[in-house]
Amino acid sequence: MSESKKRGSNSGSSHNRKIPRTLEKDLIMMAERLQRSLAPLKNHGYHVEYLECVITKILNKDPVTEYYLGILGTPIGQLDRMPSNSGDVVTTPTPTVGPDGQRLDFHPLTLIAQNADVEREQLIALCRSALDSSDRPSNTKDVRVLLSDRRRAIKNGIQSPAPRHSAKNFLYEQRLRAMQIGRPFETTGPPVVIYHDVFLKFKSLINKKGPDPESEDVATALDLMQIAAEGYADEQLRVKAMMPKIEKLLKRLGMAEVPTLIVEANNEVGTGGCDPGIRGAYSFRKLWASVEESVRDASCCPSFILSVTGPHLTIHGGILTTDFIVQPLTETLGLANFPDPYGRARYIARVMVALRPCLKDLETFYDSLDITEVSEIARLVPATRRYGDFTLTYTSGNLQQDRIGRAMFDAKAKRDDELTETLVKVKFTPRYCREAHELLAENGLAPRLLHYEELGGDWVVAVMEAGGNDLASQELSRVPDRALKDIKAALALLHGKNLVFGDFRRPNILLCHRDAAGGGVEEGAMLIDFDWVGKDGEQKYLPRLNSEIQWPEGVEGGKVMRKEHDDAMFALLASL
């Protein structure tokens, strides 16, 4: 059993693994060999850019992912039609007879392609070995490497074609210059809402119960709905008709110096050849890649993106950390065919009016940026530096880049009334059992929880003392006796409160030093990661569990969690 495999819906996301040196050397040698084989094929019209993109990542020692294994899985002979950077479709020449009169089966190019396919298969096998070579993803990544990733993302933005062309061929663009837009699923990034308060403010204003918007704003929203419901001959006419009402609702004219709001539109669903939401994401990348470097490097570049498709609109948030990340902040909002148009107009007005102060906040944020005294780490971490009575100084980028939609950072925390700093972990997650963490922390069986806060937007932040190494990262033939004793005591405390831990594996067990009975120290343990904890018989497992993990009998996706499941996993751990 590989206890470090990721769980639930995250089971398909990318790993950032430590590869054995000999395997890494073989991987690079095979990538270089395939690169040489592809050169003559490319010169003769074969479109192998997507393969070259994967090879470049391997040569740069980037983590191998299942997504890139999928790209490598397409035989070279099937690549006779690939989109070019201009958006046109280019056909690879497939002659029946070579220039020297030889049959196609024996043409030199065909033989080169066949040989390259063999090398491609060998590279796949090595990549698969690299994925399986470590029990646990490595979460430590040098800030210099992260900044290099960021520079590469900016370079991709500069080199990419016009956003409309990129969006028309977004699958190809995602293979060549992927950004984190959730398509395919593996490109879902960490939550943008944690990187700047303006996104959380927007979502809280939408959901806040209070008085209706001003009657003038509701009337403008109704006008927008009526205009959006009309049919237009082309995209320009639709934009010309709708934008004045959008600008009136936002109390905004023209564009700011920094792209705080990006608007993209299609005339109707199915027109324009692309999704305006994806086009908006590529526009966000293109615009920020061209912004003055001193401004771009002073923050995570938060922006709003508004996309219109006929009588529908969606609002996204975008940031730049190690990559460009764009995520929806609203559902797609319909503007037509509502039997209660006044009720719908009130809701549309609420959403658009909520965006109004947030845009002003962003403009203030950029106007007040001190571009002369910004640390490099500031480009990679949340802009919020204060939770409760703690001030945070982040010391790492996201430690959970290999986990879809997750984020955790190393930091130093300092209380207002203290001079010393405490090393902490800052974790952002959609669910977390504070009760269980505090119960174990009071008994020395979990790191001390310094701060817990519900941020809104379905996210919470937990700031806890940093501990030692987890059990999965240690090469131990067996779990130390004192550690097993501590783990058993932790489970007894949880079960005494009718709580189930649920995810009882090596990565969630932290080793620590304990005073030994006869003097000296021994290896004890604490539990970490309380995302799954819940009441026995009430809390449910995630809808999908990683099938590669040997779960105890009775553990199934979507089914209720039981204390006996914890006991079974403890017995398995103790038997290793």
Side-chain angles (χ1 to χ4, degrees):
M1 178 179 83
S2 175
E3 293 185 337
S4 64
K5 298 285 186 181
K6 294 192 298 292
R7 61 187 190 256
S9 61
N10 293 333
S11 60
S13 60
S14 62
H15 292 250
N16 186 14
R17 298 175 180 263
K18 183 178 180 181
I19 302 173
R21 188 172 301 175
T22 54
L23 177 56
E24 184 179 66
K25 183 178 178 181
D26 291 343
L27 193 62
I28 290 174
M29 286 178 61
M30 183 53 67
E32 290 174 339
R33 186 184 302 175
L34 180 57
Q35 188 179 53
R36 290 193 294 270
S37 297
L38 294 179
L41 297 176
K42 183 177 181 181
N43 292 338
H44 286 81
Y46 283 79
H47 281 263
V48 294
E49 293 91 343
Y50 77 110
L51 277 176
E52 291 181 319
C53 176
V54 177
I55 289 171
T56 298
K57 288 184 173 293
I58 292 172
L59 295 179
N60 287 338
K61 299 183 181 180
D62 285 359
V64 176
T65 68
E66 291 284 355
Y67 176 52
Y68 289 112
L69 272 176
I71 294 176
L72 286 172
T74 306
I76 293 172
Q78 295 181 11
L79 304 176
D80 57 340
R81 292 178 70 81
M82 288 293 289
S84 69
N85 280 353
S86 66
D88 300 323
V89 173
V90 179
T91 303
T92 300
T94 54
T96 57
V97 179
D100 51 5
Q102 289 181 306
R103 284 175 51 207
L104 177 63
D105 291 348
F106 301 101
H107 191 275
L109 275 181
T110 305
L111 295 175
I112 292 173
Q114 291 173 348
N115 180 64
D117 252 339
V118 172
E119 294 170 348
R120 178 185 57 79
E121 292 288 350
Q122 292 172 337
L123 185 60
I124 289 174
L126 288 169
C127 287
R128 180 63 63 188
S129 296
L131 275 174
D132 297 336
S133 64
S134 173
D135 279 339
R136 183 175 187 268
S138 171
N139 284 333
T140 56
K141 200 174 186 185
D142 193 289
V143 170
R144 291 170 297 180
V145 177
L146 298 177
L147 291 171
S148 176
D149 291 344
R150 179 185 170 100
R151 288 191 293 270
R152 188 180 299 119
I154 294 167
K155 183 178 179 181
N156 285 342
I158 294 171
Q159 294 179 343
S160 65
R164 184 185 293 272
H165 287 308
S166 294
K168 282 183 178 180
N169 301 297
F170 86 92
L171 285 177
Y172 174 72
E173 183 64 25
Q174 284 296 91
R175 286 172 174 170
L176 194 61
R177 290 175 286 263
M179 60 181 290
Q180 296 187 39
I181 58 174
R183 297 191 65 185
F185 184 76
E186 291 79 9
T187 63
T188 303
V192 298
V193 295
I194 70 170
Y195 282 89
H196 201 284
D197 290 343
V198 71
F199 298 129
L200 286 172
K201 178 178 179 177
F202 174 64
K203 291 179 75 71
S204 66
L205 287 174
I206 292 174
N207 299 321
K208 183 179 179 181
K209 293 181 180 180
D212 288 339
E214 297 291 334
S215 57
E216 179 185 356
D217 293 323
V218 176
T220 303
L222 185 61
D223 290 342
L224 175 63
M225 291 170 58
Q226 291 174 322
I227 291 169
E230 296 293 329
Y232 296 90
D234 57 44
E235 180 182 298
Q236 289 185 343
L237 290 175
R238 175 171 289 281
V239 172
K240 184 178 180 180
M242 292 180 64
M243 278 308 296
K245 300 302 179 183
I246 291 174
E247 289 173 344
K248 185 175 180 180
L249 282 169
L250 299 179
K251 292 189 174 178
R252 178 186 181 88
L253 295 173
M255 292 185 62
E257 292 184 15
V258 175
T260 54
L261 176 66
I262 298 161
V263 181
E264 292 287 357
N266 278 356
N267 187 21
E268 296 288 349
V269 175
T271 64
C274 65
D275 179 342
I278 293 177
R279 194 168 107 204
Y282 288 136
S283 292
F284 166 72
R285 178 174 70 173
K286 199 71 172 174
L287 286 167
W288 271 106
S290 61
V291 165
E292 183 181 343
E293 185 177 354
S294 60
V295 176
R296 187 181 61 222
D297 287 350
S299 74
C300 62
C301 310
S303 297
F304 287 97
I305 300 131
L306 192 154
S307 57
V308 175
T309 307
H312 311 275
L313 62 84
T314 311
I315 298 171
H316 290 72
I319 59 169
L320 168 59
T321 57
T322 55
D323 201 352
F324 289 93
I325 306 171
V326 175
Q327 294 165 0
L329 300 174
T330 66
E331 301 293 334
T332 298
L333 304 171
L335 301 175
N337 199 24
F338 286 88
D340 178 13
Y342 297 102
R344 187 61 178 175
R346 282 193 292 273
Y347 180 69
I348 297 300
R350 178 182 295 277
V351 173
M352 299 300 283
V353 169
L355 189 55
R356 191 187 292 168
C358 296
L359 290 172
K360 289 186 178 296
D361 286 353
L362 270 189
E363 290 172 4
T364 302
F365 170 74
Y366 287 116
D367 287 342
S368 60
L369 267 184
D370 184 355
I371 61 177
T372 61
E373 306 222 1
V374 178
S375 66
E376 291 182 328
I377 199 74
R379 311 166 200 172
L380 309 172
V381 299
T384 303
R385 300 287 191 273
R386 189 170 178 82
Y387 291 110
D389 59 350
F390 284 98
T391 299
L392 298 177
T393 302
Y394 288 100
T395 58
S396 79
N398 182 10
L399 301 175
Q400 296 187 328
Q401 292 190 96
D402 59 320
R403 299 275 302 280
I404 288 179
R406 292 293 185 270
M408 184 167 69
F409 303 84
D410 284 329
K412 296 176 182 178
K414 181 179 175 300
R415 287 187 187 273
D416 295 341
D417 57 351
E418 294 179 355
L419 297 177
T420 58
E421 294 179 317
T422 303
L423 297 179
V424 298
K425 300 283 187 183
V426 185
K427 180 172 185 174
F428 298 89
T429 178
R431 79 182 198 189
Y432 199 79
C433 187
R434 179 182 185 178
E435 177 190 358
H437 192 150
E438 291 182 336
L439 172 66
L440 296 191
E442 288 170 3
N443 291 273
L445 296 170
R448 192 158 59 105
L449 184 64
L450 302 180
H451 183 73
Y452 173 91
E453 183 178 337
E454 295 181 0
L455 299 177
D458 302 321
W459 290 88
V460 301
V461 59
V463 181
M464 66 200 79
E465 287 184 341
N469 296 314
D470 63 59
L471 192 57
S473 66
Q474 304 302 297
E475 298 180 1
L476 300 175
S477 58
R478 60 184 299 275
V479 182
D481 291 339
R482 176 57 191 268
L484 287 174
K485 180 181 177 181
D486 287 346
I487 295 165
K488 190 173 182 179
L491 288 182
L493 283 170
L494 291 174
H495 293 177
K497 294 291 185 179
N498 207 33
L499 294 172
V500 184
F501 192 70
D503 192 18
F504 189 63
R505 298 173 298 116
R506 285 176 176 252
N508 298 331
I509 299 169
L510 198 68
L511 294 176
C512 60
H513 293 309
R514 304 283 193 196
D515 292 332
V521 295
E522 56 186 344
E523 206 80 82
M526 296 181 177
L527 294 188
I528 56 174
D529 197 350
F530 296 85
D531 297 21
W532 285 26
V533 181
K535 292 291 184 181
D536 179 59
E538 295 180 11
Q539 181 77 303
K540 293 182 178 181
Y541 290 105
L542 296 181
R544 182 184 300 166
L545 298 178
N546 188 346
S547 59
E548 297 181 37
I549 292 177
Q550 183 184 337
W551 297 103
E553 184 178 352
V555 175
E556 296 181 41
K559 301 298 184 181
V560 295
M561 297 163 55
R562 295 290 186 183
K563 289 184 281 190
E564 52 262 33
H565 299 160
D566 283 349
D567 295 333
M569 291 204 81
F570 175 76
L572 180 62
L573 181 71
S575 68
L576 296 178

